[in-house]
């Protein structure tokens, strides 16, 4: 992966994976998270969900952590309007301190591994704390070629039963799950398509052609199987 090219394509996109405010709202309701809680947005990307969490939890203290410093800076700028109760910094979610009432992690836990990440986060959870995370999932039945193409760089992908096993292996129980397909993915890809068109039209600094083609291939694969390419959003708590 040419990361410079990847980030040229992804810079300034509103979010870095599928999911939206309705998914955050569902997770907060399922987790029972409300009031003056402490929340971590782990692997926050450019901070779309950090902003949603801050709006949904007006008394909460929210810390967003992101490995890629320009994304962390984008999240910090985006959340500046909330004042010091919302912070975003560059760092690794592998080393969370907490204690957090909720660790929210949209499309990033697979970098640590579901079992490994949940195990590492257990000491960072406050009593009664929860983790809400979204993870690539196979929906079962014969897989269209587009699904295989889409996930070819994530060979550890499994189905919902497999994700449940990985959660159980970390000693967590499941409070609820929800499949993310369709509109949330469209909302992720529409700005990326517009950015590819801008880059091709020379309106922004040209990106290497390979990165644009990678983006187009990814979007085309999703469009070929939009009801079969999915994330599973899970809300879990330590046993
Ligand atoms: C698919 S993106 C999702 C970003 C964001 N949650 C969103 O939905 O827009 C995954 C993010 O995880 C970040 N990431 C990967 N490993 C990380 C780590 N160890 N600590 C913090 N962030 C990490 C990546 O830089 C990337 O921004």
């Amino acid at each position: 992966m040419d990361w410079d090219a990847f980030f040229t394509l992804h810079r300034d996109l509103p979010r870095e994976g599928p999911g939206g405010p309705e998914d955050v709202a569902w997770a907060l309701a399922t987790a029972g998270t409300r009031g003056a809680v402490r929340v971590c947005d782990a692997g926050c990307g450019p901070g779309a969900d950090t902003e949603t969490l801050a709006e949904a939890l007006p008394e909460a203290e929210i810390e967003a952590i992101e490995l890629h410093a320009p994304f962390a800076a984008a999240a910090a700028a985006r959340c500046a309007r909330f004042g010091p109760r919302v912070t975003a910094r560059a760092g690794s979610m592998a080393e969370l301190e907490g204690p957090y009432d909720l660790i929210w992690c949209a499309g990033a836990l697979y970098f640590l591994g579901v079992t490994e990440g949940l195990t590492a986060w257990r000491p960072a959870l406050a009593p009664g704390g929860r983790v809400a995370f979204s993870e690539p999932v196979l929906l079962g039945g014969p897989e269209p070629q587009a699904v295989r193409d889409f996930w070819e760089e994530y060979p550890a992908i499994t189905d919902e039963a497999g994700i449940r096993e990985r959660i159980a292996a970390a000693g967590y129980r499941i409070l609820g799950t929800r499949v993310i397909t369709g509109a949330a993915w469209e909302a992720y890809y529409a700005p990326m398509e517009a950015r590819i068109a801008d880059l091709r039209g020379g309106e922004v600094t040209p990106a290497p052609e390979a990165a644009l083609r990678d983006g187009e291939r990814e979007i085309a694969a999703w469009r070929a199987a939009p009801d079969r390419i999915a994330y599973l959003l899970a809300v879990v708590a330590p046993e």
Side-chain angles (χ1 to χ4, degrees):
M1 175 76 76
D2 177 342
W3 287 108
D4 281 349
F6 175 88
F7 285 119
T8 301
L9 172 58
H10 284 252
R11 189 189 314 129
D12 299 334
L13 294 182
R15 60 177 306 126
E16 279 298 307
E22 62 287 354
D23 298 306
V24 173
W26 172 86
L28 293 179
T30 303
T33 305
R34 63 181 79 84
V37 287
R38 196 166 167 211
V39 176
C40 178
D41 185 354
C44 66
D49 293 336
T50 319
E51 203 174 12
T52 302
L53 287 162
E55 283 167 354
L57 299 168
E59 297 168 58
E61 186 186 321
I62 298 169
E63 295 171 32
I65 297 170
E66 165 58 46
L67 202 57
H68 181 56
F71 282 163
R78 191 170 185 166
C79 292
R81 67 188 167 97
F82 298 107
R85 77 178 179 91
V86 182
T87 57
R89 65 174 170 85
S92 178
M93 64 182 178
E95 290 133 29
L96 299 184
E97 286 185 6
Y100 298 113
D101 300 289
L102 178 71
I103 299 173
W104 167 263
C105 185
L109 185 54
Y110 67 87
F111 283 103
L112 304 182
V114 170
T115 304
E116 295 80 356
L118 291 177
T119 302
W121 288 347
R122 183 185 272 260
L125 286 174
R130 275 75 170 110
V131 179
F133 71 96
S134 58
E135 167 75 5
V137 66
L138 297 173
L139 295 181
E143 279 155 25
Q145 183 62 40
V147 175
R148 290 194 284 276
D149 292 347
F150 191 89
W151 295 120
E152 69 182 355
E153 288 186 30
Y154 186 41
I157 188 170
T158 181
D159 57 10
E160 178 163 350
I163 295 174
R164 286 177 175 268
E165 281 172 21
R166 291 174 188 175
I167 292 168
Y172 283 67
R173 68 194 157 92
I174 297 173
L175 303 180
T177 61
R178 169 182 167 102
V179 173
I180 299 176
T181 53
W185 289 74
E186 184 62 48
Y188 170 49
Y189 283 127
M192 199 197 292
E193 266 186 324
R195 180 151 178 86
I196 290 170
D198 280 353
L199 288 162
R200 284 213 190 286
E203 288 174 33
V204 283
T205 312
E209 182 60 27
L212 300 189
R213 277 203 302 270
D214 281 353
E216 284 170 335
R217 252 197 311 272
E218 180 184 330
I219 295 169
W222 175 70
R223 288 208 191 288
D227 52 345
R228 294 294 303 275
I229 292 171
Y231 269 13
L232 185 76
L233 177 57
V235 178
V236 302
E239 294 282 10

